[in-house]
Amino acid sequence: MRYKNSLLSVIIPVHNESANLVWHHKRIVQAMEKIGQSSEIIYVDDGSTDDSRDILKELIKTSTNTRLIALSRNFGKEAATSAGLKKCNGDAALMIDADGQHPIEAVGKFLDKWHEGYQVVIGIRKSNTKEGIVKHYGSKLFYQLLSSMADGKTIPNSTDFRLLDRRVIDEFNKLTEHNRITRGLIDWLGFRSTTIDFDSPARHSGTASYSFTKLVKLALYSFVSQSTKPLQFVGFLGGLTVILSAIIGIFLLIEKYTLGDPMNLAVTGSALLALFVSFLVGLVLICQWLLALYIESIHSETQNRPLYVVDEEL
Ligand code: UDP
Ligand code: MG
């Protein structure tokens, strides 16, 4: 079988995970041995301020096929993952968190799907035992909004726990945009993809590096990088305001000045003024929408995504 001698790259972004690393590494090595998969394990130390880097240096000494890429400072998980994908040599790559929230035991299922011919296998989180209410409903709302806005498809609760075929890794590495959400880019790339459900346990140790504000920022960047629909919304709002205030304005003017107020509305001058102001605001919004169209085209030029991605040529 073509996959028998395959190499799997396991890519692990690390930010202040000192209490998890040794425990987690053992689990990965055991899981690989159990299914007889040859692998390389790549840690990307994303500017940890605890002793994560020292622990990793010790780990790579005692463990074969393990590599460390240490970034010069904290660049964020998305950048760290990209660094790992750039440097990996595997026929496929499995991206996995260092805190135990992505059960490595599921690797067999990922590989099975890969062997079936899927090029992207996406882990779908089924439960998150210790997730706060805000995070739970926040992420639900986020996915609903994003899937209604984004051009590609987004699957609710899809995570970064993913397996990518070499074809996908190569295409991913060609992407140049800076504000990147790994998941979004992979979804955008397309290819044959499938999902696997997994239960997400609580962190093995420590607290999540992503604070609430960092998460909100990430969500906003997701919208901006995945969709320009928010820009279009401004135009819609402006058009609606102009049309509505024009209709009401004309109706009131005729009713009051031409017909002499037969409906006894007694519209005041300030009411008419308010209507005129909202008409003007609508005009301003439409002008902003015109600007937005230009920004949108600049936006897509600077993202510099390829026009298309070739799957195969026969
Ligand atoms: N991480 C990282 N850089 C960061 C924040 C997090 O490399 O700036 C890593 C972290 O070590 C972990 C993974 O990304 O392996 C997920 O992070 P975390 O558990 O904090 O986030 P959550 O579980 O809330 O997605
Ligand atoms: Mg986590």
Side-chain angles (χ1 to χ4, degrees):
M1 206 160 122
R2 143 167 112 96
Y3 300 100
K4 223 26 189 189
N5 300 315
S6 65
L7 178 71
L8 178 71
S9 302
V10 182
I11 296 173
I12 311 153
V14 175
H15 181 243
N16 296 348
E17 303 282 5
S18 55
N20 297 323
L21 292 170
V22 174
W23 166 81
H24 194 244
H25 187 76
K26 213 153 127 202
R27 275 180 66 183
I28 297 177
V29 173
Q30 274 170 359
M32 294 301 150
E33 271 168 10
K34 198 171 161 202
I35 55 169
Q37 172 69 46
S38 54
S39 61
E40 59 169 3
I41 303 174
I42 301 178
Y43 288 98
V44 185
D45 176 33
D46 184 19
S48 296
T49 48
D50 62 358
D51 50 356
S52 289
R53 200 197 281 203
D54 297 328
I55 294 173
L56 287 171
K57 279 182 180 162
E58 285 305 311
L59 264 186
I60 59 172
K61 269 190 213 156
T62 52
S63 179
T64 48
N65 308 332
T66 304
R67 280 153 59 198
L68 168 65
I69 302 164
L71 305 185
S72 59
R73 65 168 171 85
N74 179 241
F75 285 93
K77 180 186 176 182
E78 311 302 321
T81 316
S82 294
L85 284 171
K86 194 111 200 174
K87 306 265 181 187
C88 74
N89 302 312
D91 301 297
L94 181 74
M95 309 187 291
I96 184 169
D97 281 1
D99 56 4
Q101 290 197 292
H102 296 163
I104 183 68
E105 290 71 25
V107 66
K109 284 199 226 162
F110 280 84
L111 289 167
D112 286 345
K113 291 286 178 194
W114 181 47
H115 293 184
E116 280 172 32
Y118 290 104
Q119 293 156 300
V120 179
V121 188
I122 305 170
I124 306 289
R125 190 182 58 224
K126 274 296 153 214
S127 62
N128 199 338
T129 7
K130 263 196 188 155
E131 196 180 49
I133 265 189
V134 177
K135 205 166 170 183
H136 178 78
Y137 287 101
S139 91
K140 240 186 176 152
L141 181 73
F142 166 72
Y143 279 112
Q144 254 161 21
L145 278 175
L146 192 62
S147 61
S148 66
M149 276 198 233
D151 302 327
K153 57 169 184 156
T154 21
I155 306 161
N157 294 328
S158 63
T159 61
D160 287 322
F161 190 23
R162 289 176 182 219
L163 181 139
L164 307 181
D165 181 74
R166 175 45 64 182
R167 280 286 301 122
V168 185
I169 302 169
D170 287 341
E171 292 301 333
F172 183 89
N173 288 339
K174 287 183 200 163
L175 300 172
T176 56
E177 66 198 80
H178 285 236
N179 260 335
R180 53 175 51 203
I181 309 296
T182 314
R183 272 172 276 179
L185 286 180
I186 295 169
D187 290 341
W188 180 84
L189 277 174
F191 291 101
R192 253 160 298 138
S193 68
T194 187
T195 58
I196 278 177
D197 294 342
F198 72 91
D199 285 318
S200 175
R203 272 183 151 264
H204 177 64
S205 173
T207 52
S209 300
Y210 278 104
S211 61
F212 183 69
T213 40
K214 233 172 159 183
L215 275 179
V216 170
K217 226 167 135 183
L218 196 71
L220 285 176
Y221 276 137
S222 296
F223 289 136
V224 174
S225 67
Q226 295 285 87
S227 167
T228 48
K229 286 203 179 118
L231 287 177
Q232 308 286 355
F233 180 69
V234 173
F236 170 75
L237 208 64
L240 196 72
T241 313
V242 162
I243 292 171
L244 277 185
S245 44
I247 291 175
I248 299 174
I250 291 169
F251 166 76
L252 289 184
L253 284 179
I254 294 176
E255 199 268 349
K256 181 171 179 178
Y257 296 108
T258 320
L259 305 177
D261 202 10
M263 297 165 85
N264 264 330
L265 294 178
V267 180
T268 58
S270 40
L272 282 175
L273 188 66
L275 212 56
F276 187 59
V277 168
S278 68
F279 178 78
L280 290 181
V281 168
L283 281 186
V284 171
L285 283 179
I286 288 178
C287 294
Q288 287 203 351
W289 170 65
L290 286 178
L291 286 179
L293 290 182
Y294 286 94
I295 294 174
E296 185 184 1
S297 97
I298 298 170
H299 177 76
S300 75
E301 291 295 334
T302 52
Q303 270 189 327
N304 203 20
R305 288 196 191 169
L307 285 181
Y308 49 81
V309 178
V310 176
D311 185 4
E312 48 188 356
E313 261 181 74
L314 304 173

